Amino acid sequence: MLLGKAVRLERILDRNTHRTVIVPLDHGISVGPIYGLVDFKGTVNQVAEGGANAVLMHKGLPRCTHRGYGKDVGLVIHLSASTSLSPKPNAKALVATVEDALRLGADAVSVHVNLGDETEGRMLADLGYVTSKAADWGMPVLAMMYARGPKVPDEYAPEVVRHCARVGQELGADVIKVAYTGDVESFSRVVEACCVPVVIAGGPKIDNTESLVRMVYDSITAGGSGLSIGRNIFQAENPARLVKALSKVVHHDWDVHQAMRFLRDEA
């Protein structure tokens, strides 16, 4: 099982850089079929051709996204969900199992936890259950760790994000996804307190591409292990080109100027 986990991790984390570019496509449950998540095969093909290490989605989508052609890409099955229509949208519930992911040929599973929510206890229990079950099967777990609740005035505060990352690590996750704290110094403190790879979320749609590239570059400079960014990639004018640029930043240490020049030259 230890070998199985190592093999699967290499499908979502580059074996040379130990970093990753993951594109989540799980937004359909939370907010519906938004732009970029209608032509699933087209979207997956674009991000795969751009060099993404993996895509992330709910268990019902692989039947819509398996292409049978093009460049290969890793698969992460998301196990938790809630909708924006709920009176408690931050209360995530398990809607799939590790065994479901195995049957779909997944390389990893993911679980979303919102610390500070009234249902935090249940979400923590779910994460603990999934990491234990995943260990039985040699399945890597990505934990999406956020702070959202009445006692959380700023979910991007460095100490809050640091706490989120540490909870995911201590409950057994193999990769931690957190919000970016806004600068290299503060994010480096998040990374240094976590012994497993830490990747950044994209957050709300960013209209300025250079701001997105800089956020990714700064997170890598701080010691981060890459990104797990959805709508800022799949809703881009050219997702394949953007993924190529971000992959160069993550895996080849391009700076912001190099990435933006590449994007302009390819436009």
Side-chain angles (χ1 to χ4, degrees):
M1 290 304 174
L2 290 176
L3 176 59
K5 177 177 281 192
V7 169
R8 292 184 178 97
L9 276 172
E10 285 188 1
R11 294 177 185 152
I12 61 171
L13 290 168
D14 185 279
R15 65 178 58 179
N16 296 312
T17 66
H18 305 292
R19 299 173 185 168
T20 188
V21 173
I22 300 172
V23 181
L25 306 174
D26 61 318
H27 303 65
I29 285 184
S30 57
V31 295
I34 58 177
Y35 174 74
L37 295 183
V38 178
D39 176 13
F40 288 114
K41 284 187 179 179
T43 297
V44 171
N45 199 53
Q46 286 199 67
V47 300
E49 289 301 320
N53 295 93
V55 291
L56 182 152
M57 62 185 67
H58 285 285
K59 64 182 180 181
L61 289 188
R63 59 188 171 181
C64 307
T65 57
H66 181 67
R67 299 161 293 149
Y69 60 85
K71 189 174 181 180
D72 195 16
V73 65
L75 174 63
V76 182
I77 294 296
H78 196 37
L79 304 187
S80 50
S82 67
T83 79
S84 58
L85 303 177
S86 169
K88 295 182 178 180
N90 288 329
K92 300 294 180 178
L94 288 183
V95 293
T97 67
V98 174
E99 290 83 359
D100 288 334
L102 286 165
R103 283 188 287 269
L104 291 167
D107 304 301
V109 296
S110 59
V111 178
H112 185 143
V113 175
N114 288 316
L115 297 181
D117 185 76
E118 294 176 355
T119 60
E120 174 192 286
R122 189 191 71 205
M123 287 185 277
L124 290 175
D126 287 344
L127 176 58
Y129 170 78
V130 167
T131 56
S132 294
K133 180 62 70 173
D136 291 338
W137 291 103
M139 177 69 81
V141 178
L142 183 156
M144 303 181 183
M145 304 298 301
Y146 305 108
R148 295 168 179 171
K151 292 178 65 177
V152 185
D154 181 5
E155 65 179 286
Y156 301 99
E159 290 309 308
V160 172
V161 176
R162 202 170 187 234
H163 191 176
C164 288
R166 191 54 178 266
V167 171
Q169 170 193 299
E170 297 214 10
L171 289 182
D174 302 288
V175 182
I176 310 294
K177 174 179 177 178
V178 293
Y180 182 60
T181 54
D183 62 83
V184 173
E185 182 181 358
S186 65
F187 197 68
S188 68
R189 295 200 301 272
V190 174
V191 174
E192 72 182 6
C194 203
C195 69
V196 297
V198 178
V199 301
I200 60 167
K205 185 73 166 64
I206 299 173
D207 294 327
N208 187 323
T209 302
E210 186 169 350
S211 296
L212 175 64
V213 172
R214 180 164 296 282
M215 179 175 71
V216 172
Y217 172 77
D218 287 350
S219 75
I220 295 296
T221 301
S225 295
L227 60 92
S228 177
I229 293 177
R231 71 191 79 195
N232 282 299
I233 289 178
F234 66 70
Q235 290 187 335
E237 183 177 348
N238 189 327
R241 188 170 77 238
L242 179 57
V243 170
K244 283 182 183 179
L246 294 176
S247 294
K248 292 292 187 181
V249 173
V250 171
H251 295 303
H252 299 278
D253 296 320
W254 275 17
D255 60 25
V256 177
H257 175 73
Q258 288 173 295
M260 292 308 299
R261 183 173 60 189
F262 169 81
L263 288 170
R264 286 192 295 268
D265 289 348
E266 290 291 310

